């Protein structure tokens, strides 16, 4: 019974860490990562959450760079019309 209580306590703390990471990411902190290792369900969720945040961050950066390139091309075209 004591061992089960101890294990449940550890899982509770790990789940709380995952929830904290989810909240940070949902608030826009795509640099947030959950530092939980393990092959169990909580460890897998943490790893997938970290991967999701990384991919979202990459996609947003790519879209941002694409918009900048588009604006620079428009600016260049306008400048060439002036000269």
């Amino acid at each position: 019974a004591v061992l089960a209580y101890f294990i449940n306590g550890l899982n509770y703390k790990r789940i709380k860490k995952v929830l904290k990471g989810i909240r940070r990411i949902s608030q826009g902190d795509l640099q947030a990562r959950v530092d939980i290792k393990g092959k169990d369900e909580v460890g897998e969720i943490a790893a997938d959450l970290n991967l999701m945040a990384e991919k979202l961050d990459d996609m947003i950066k790519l879209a941002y760079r694409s918009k900048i390139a588009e604006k620079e091309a428009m600016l260049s075209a306008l400048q060439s019309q002036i000269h």
Side-chain angles (χ1 to χ4, degrees):
V2 173
L3 183 59
Y5 179 77
F6 178 72
I7 290 171
N8 283 336
L10 285 178
N11 277 334
Y12 177 77
K13 288 179 183 178
R14 294 170 76 220
I15 290 169
K16 291 294 281 184
K17 276 179 109 173
V18 171
L19 287 173
K20 184 179 179 183
I22 289 170
R23 285 188 193 105
R24 286 181 61 197
I25 291 167
S26 71
Q27 293 171 352
D29 182 2
L30 298 179
Q31 301 302 312
R33 297 295 181 268
V34 179
D35 187 25
I36 293 178
K37 308 292 185 237
K39 299 292 182 190
D40 64 345
E41 292 85 356
V42 178
E44 288 184 24
I45 290 169
D48 287 347
L49 178 65
N50 290 339
L51 182 61
M52 180 183 69
E54 183 179 330
K55 287 187 176 196
L56 281 170
D57 192 43
D58 289 346
M59 288 174 24
I60 289 170
K61 286 177 182 173
L62 180 63
Y64 179 74
R65 285 188 211 113
S66 177
K67 278 289 187 191
I68 288 175
E70 182 182 319
K71 299 289 183 188
E72 287 175 344
M74 287 174 50
L75 181 60
S76 179
L78 288 172
Q79 285 176 337
S80 69
Q81 289 177 2
I82 293 172
H83 297 244

